């Protein structure tokens, strides 16, 4: 699926980095954007590959992950529509991608050449400010992830994650996350996650279905996750 410059410019304006730009500035950036359509299961890039672009997701879902020395998959981010990934190499001295990225769903993604974009960003300080803020947020999330692995048990980590990705207002919410992916996100294995689900289901905190998890008791999950 190809997009013309105007369609790309309009799409860019929906992303946090580019909200404050004028149409002319967006058109200038659109000239360095490539549009890619990926199938589910298709790789965007691999760890160690030369970093040439960073990416914006228009539709679909991308998993950013690493493989540990023991061969365990560690999910760093799940990236959906309106979100970006792989910016870090372009604002550090990294020359290669530090992780892998794979599409979990058919995905339409914009790729922006990093070297060219840096020149555009230097001329627009607000972009640099927003990118710095986003990278700081990612670093904070990663530090929290490391802390959770060391201080929380699996039930607490699962409860915290389910709450973080569900809607905040209703008492009941449906969370659509593949079990294997969720296990990798919370730093465990599918078998341990299944036992966790069984305990939570037995306590009527959640209902587990094949393709989604229904939250029944947000208050109890907050207690389990130690969230005030």
């Amino acid at each position: 699926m190809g997009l013309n410059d105007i369609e790309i410019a309009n799409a860019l304006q929906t992303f946090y980095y580019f909200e404050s730009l004028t149409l002319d500035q967006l058109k200038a950036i659109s000239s360095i954007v490539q549009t890619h359509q990926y199938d589910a299961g298709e790789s965007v890039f691999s760890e160690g590959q030369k970093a040439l672009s960073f990416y914006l997701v228009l539709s679909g879902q991308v998993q950013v992950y690493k493989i540990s020395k023991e061969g365990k998959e560690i999910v760093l981010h799940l990236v959906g529509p309106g979100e970006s990934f792989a910016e870090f190499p372009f604002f550090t001295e990294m020359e290669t991608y530090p992780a892998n990225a794979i599409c979990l769903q058919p995905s339409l993604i914009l790729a922006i050449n990093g070297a060219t974009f840096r020149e555009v960003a230097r001329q627009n300080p607000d972009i640099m400010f927003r990118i710095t803020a986003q990278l700081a947020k990612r670093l904070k999330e990663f530090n929290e992830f490391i802390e959770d692995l060391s201080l929380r048990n699996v039930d607490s980590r699962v409860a915290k994650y389910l709450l973080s990705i569900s809607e905040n207002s209703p008492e009941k919410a449906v969370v659509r996350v593949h079990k294997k992916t969720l296990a990798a996100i919370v730093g465990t294995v599918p078998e341990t996650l299944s036992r966790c689900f069984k305990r939570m289901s037995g306590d009527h905190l959640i209902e587990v279905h094949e393709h989604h998890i229904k939250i029944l008791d947000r208050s109890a999950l907050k207690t389990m996750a130690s969230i005030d």
Side-chain angles (χ1 to χ4, degrees):
M1 175 182 176
L3 301 177
N4 61 42
D5 285 354
I6 295 297
E7 290 172 324
I8 292 175
N10 289 335
L12 288 173
Q13 199 164 32
T14 66
F15 286 83
Y16 171 70
Y17 294 155
F18 308 118
E19 287 175 346
S20 62
L21 298 189
T22 66
L23 183 58
D24 286 342
Q25 290 171 325
L26 291 169
K27 287 180 180 178
I29 295 175
S30 69
S31 66
I32 62 172
V33 172
Q34 291 185 323
T35 308
H36 297 284
Q37 181 76 55
Y38 293 91
D39 295 326
E42 189 172 356
S43 173
V44 181
F45 55 77
S46 300
E47 182 175 358
Q49 182 179 331
K50 187 174 178 60
L52 298 176
S53 302
F54 73 95
Y55 301 88
L56 311 173
V57 180
L58 293 184
S59 64
Q61 187 178 54
V62 176
Q63 175 179 295
V64 180
Y65 67 100
K66 290 179 72 73
I67 301 296
S68 70
K69 293 180 180 179
E70 296 78 23
K72 183 179 178 182
E73 184 179 286
I74 303 171
V75 176
L76 303 177
H77 307 291
L78 288 181
V79 189
E83 298 178 320
S84 59
F85 63 101
E87 308 98 323
F88 195 75
F90 301 102
F91 300 94
T92 67
E93 295 181 355
M94 285 186 178
E95 295 183 354
T96 61
Y97 293 115
N100 309 282
I102 189 171
C103 293
L104 300 181
Q105 303 171 5
S107 302
L108 180 61
I109 296 175
L110 300 181
I112 300 182
N113 180 272
T116 307
F117 180 73
R118 278 196 298 268
E119 296 303 318
V120 175
R122 287 191 185 101
Q123 299 171 28
N124 295 274
D126 189 54
I127 294 180
M128 294 298 293
F129 173 79
R130 288 170 181 254
I131 289 176
T132 301
Q134 183 71 2
L135 294 180
K137 178 184 176 184
R138 293 266 175 85
L139 182 59
K140 180 175 181 291
E141 290 171 350
F142 183 71
N143 287 336
E144 289 177 350
F145 172 71
I146 298 299
E147 183 177 290
D148 283 349
L149 287 180
S150 61
L151 299 179
R152 296 177 185 270
N153 61 31
V154 173
D155 287 12
S156 178
R157 297 200 301 268
V158 171
K160 181 181 178 184
Y161 186 75
L162 291 178
L163 290 168
S164 74
I165 64 173
S166 63
E167 297 177 6
N168 294 321
S169 52
E171 287 303 309
K172 296 183 179 181
V174 173
V175 179
R176 300 184 183 278
V177 182
H178 194 282
K179 292 179 185 178
K180 179 181 177 182
T181 301
L182 179 55
I185 290 172
V186 299
T188 189
V189 294
E191 294 78 11
T192 301
L193 180 64
S194 293
R195 291 193 290 270
C196 173
F197 280 166
K198 186 174 181 179
R199 289 190 293 271
M200 289 182 172
S201 297
D203 291 337
H204 306 291
L205 306 183
I206 62 174
E207 285 182 0
V208 180
H209 302 274
E210 184 177 359
H211 299 297
H212 65 270
I213 303 159
K214 186 176 182 180
I215 295 176
L216 302 179
D217 191 336
R218 294 184 66 86
S219 178
L221 283 181
K222 285 183 178 180
T223 299
M224 181 177 288
S226 301
I227 297 175
D228 296 329

